[in-house]
Amino acid sequence: SCFLRHARSRNYASESEVCKLESVPLDFGDYHPLKPITVTESKTKKMNRKESTSSTSSSSSSSVMDPLSSVLDGTDPLSLFAAAADPVAITPTMDGTRRKRDKDDSSAVGSDFEPWSSKRGEILARYTTTEKLSINLYMGSEKGKAATSGSAVSEKVRTRLEELDDLEEGSQKELLNLTQQDYMNRIEELNQSLKDAWSSDQKVKALKIVIQCSKLLSDTTVIQFYPSKFVLITDILDTFGKLVYERILSMCADNRVSLPDNFSPESVNDTAKETCLNWFFKIASIRELIPRFYVEAAILKCNKFLSKTGISECLPRLTSMIRGIGDPLVAVYARAYLCRVGMEVAPQLKESLNKNFFDFLLTFKQIHGDTVQNQLVGQCVEMPLYLTLYSPAIDWILQCIAYHAPEVLLTEMMERCKKLGNNALLLNSVMSAFRAEFIAARSMDFIAMIKECDESGFPKHLLFRSLGLNLALADPPENDRLQILNEAWKVITKLKNPQDYINCAEVWVEYTCRHFTKREVNTVLADVIKHMTPDRAFEDAYPQLQSIIQKVITYIYDFSLLFSVEKFLPFLDMFQKESVRVEVCKCIMESFIKHQQESTKDPVILNALLHICKTMHDSVNALTLEDEKRMLATLINGFIKMVSFGRDFEQQLSFYVEARSMFCNLEPVLVQLIHSVNQLAMETRRVMKGNHSRKTAAFVRACVAFCFITIPSLSSIFTRLNLYLHSGQVALANQCLSQADAFFKAAVSLVPEVPKMISVDGKMRPSDAFLLEFLCNFFSTLLVVPDHPEQGVLFLVRGLLNVIQDYTWEDNSDDKVRIYTNVLHLLSAMTQEAYIYHVDKVDSNDTLYGGDSKFLAEINKLCETVIAQILDHLKTLGKEETLKRQSQLALYFFNTIVAHGDLRNNKLNQLSVNLWNLAQKHGFADTKTMVKTLEYIKRRSQQPEMSHFTDLALRLPLQSRT
């Protein structure tokens, strides 16, 4: 009962001065705490900080010894485990060198060269068939295994030759009527069989599998599947080539030391050379041209072991071999494979690649010969479809030739294409493979060539699409830009098929946005709407339409300009499918938030974006995921934050009211609106410098009313509590005292509804800690809230204490006592003559009551109740299992009395001593904490008017744990 009657009188200003840290000037020299520090080995033992940092900055990373590696001494358990698990692993040294070599080989061409692997998936997806396929599978004999154990070398050679002949003599099984998926599975099985045969040292069997697979490339019975078949089978050839190369490379290792990356044939030992020659001789004995060509091309890299000029001699010979392949489709893919291998092993030998292409040009007229025509009739394949089968091969050949090629060569290629009568297929491949800058600079030449093309085989709109793709990457000459667009659009706009039309239009929209004004963009969008609206054609073209929107907002990110494009919003109306419509709206909002630097009040932008945000909001339903809701709310909030009507605060509030009615299903948006309106009220206060006129006072009350009626619609209880508190503080700052009381009363009446567990980031957590944090904040605000003349003294504090008293706390929780202890801090602050802080132009209770004795008596009564509650709780913790909690709480209460009580009062002094002893009674007190607390009390005793702390320190014994 004596606690508050003798609460310590505080002089906050002088206490603040005493508590300030002493400022000491520091000379860092070249030391900075954020400068990275490297640990280096040093001979000298003593070194000051300055020296160590300067030495570290100059030291190289190679001199730093990794402490973990040195301890393991190279015997890292994971490496050992991996080595044990991999039966074909060679020594770490060789493995590391091979990895390095593989990396070097792949980087022989730069990263700007698009590798074959990136085209593989696209070809497999594009060239498919529903027709039945057949495949010849090699059925291996067991002769090879028995023969290899024979002692005589001649016997071994004879057996191997027999095995190769055996392949020609029907040791194979034909599988018919396979679906495409079955066929792909069989090819994968063959690939696996190849690896298995190799690892079990059946090299001849492996070769047979490769020969058998290569033969499949001469079969064009299901012609539209041929490009995919080529991809699958050349994967097996690549595997074989790699296995042979690595086998010979491993034979070159002397004393487990691998060859350097740029080895010369002189450093290869005789055994490895003999084995290498043996492979080439085996392949030379294959009777059929196509398997012989493909298998030799697969191991082309192995020529490095035999001579420096091996590869450069082989490439022209292999190029000439292709002339013997009669079917032009089979031949062009053989050329593509040779280019692929050539670019991998000798990208510098461009002459052979060029010869390969010129050979192709010479035989190009075969495509229109009788043999091909008869084949197409037999398979019911139209010429335009047949010509598209050539695209992957020709594109690849041209890409290899065009890579880092001089302008002269590219110009020569163009001239050769012209001589062929501007064949559309070739022209399309040239535009796909050549550098975009080269194409863009000669755009008018290409347009002239496109016009002259014969359209029967290859449609012109595809040529314009390829040209458009180049112009999206590189700019044509400025004087030609408008003419290029007109020429292209003349062709595009005449397309009757909506799918063909939109595929072209999508590409040319980017060109239009890059180089022209909103007038041209508007014309293009209008044309797209005209073509895609009849028969709801837009429903089959959502991806392309989305792409068009993405391109438009990429180039026109000034939204006042964008929404002045007359056809932009009608274009959005074509997105009738809700999921797509919402995705497009999200794209537009993301662009707005990213690019809009300044806040806006442009009515065109506001109306358009409100419509877009409303579309996103209305897509939310019971099945919408929380992440999706959060994302939509973030985008809408980003828009709300960017809207500002300047000093027209009433217009701003009207906007927030309209937004509230539009976005009522997204809680984070309502929260943002409440914060925005509170900010608006505080901005009004700032403009008026705290002196509201009748008009601004009414406006601020309108803001407060907005918050008061919006908060109850939120579902999260802690969001509501915190917003009631925050909005109450804003009302108080604007001298709306009765409104502030209403917020605080609402917060008090909401506390009993706080559940025991709440969801935090999708997980259920106890709510006690959150409630404790909120109440401590609330107490801080209640200090400055003046009493209502009709409600009695401290009516809000009393109401809150009643709620805390009635709240059902967890049995093992001491939060209730911690809250009561914080209430003592509040009550202590309320007894001071002048409070530690105030709200400007609001009289708090220190001014209203002026230290009246009746007011202090009321505080004292409250205090008695609170202390009684704390002591009762401490008694209930006397059981053995709760003694540790009792010790912690006793010390917590002791610290409160020391900080806030006047210890010259004997009863209070005695209570503090009792609490100190209780904290140590059962040996649960932390000795360090107790020692530090006692030291603090002794230090305090040396301050003015604190001499009574000396006596207190003598009465506080330190008990040892024993």
Side-chain angles (χ1 to χ4, degrees), residues 48 267 346 357 399 423 453 601 668 827:
N48 67 25
S267 55
F357 181 66
Q399 182 189 320
N423 184 281
C453 277
K601 61 176 180 179
L827 295 174

Side-chain angles (χ1 to χ4, degrees), residues 53 70 125 190 228 262 335 369 461 759 823 918:
T53 49
S70 59
L190 282 172
S228 291
N262 51 350
R335 294 184 193 286
H461 68 84
S759 174
V823 171
L918 180 62

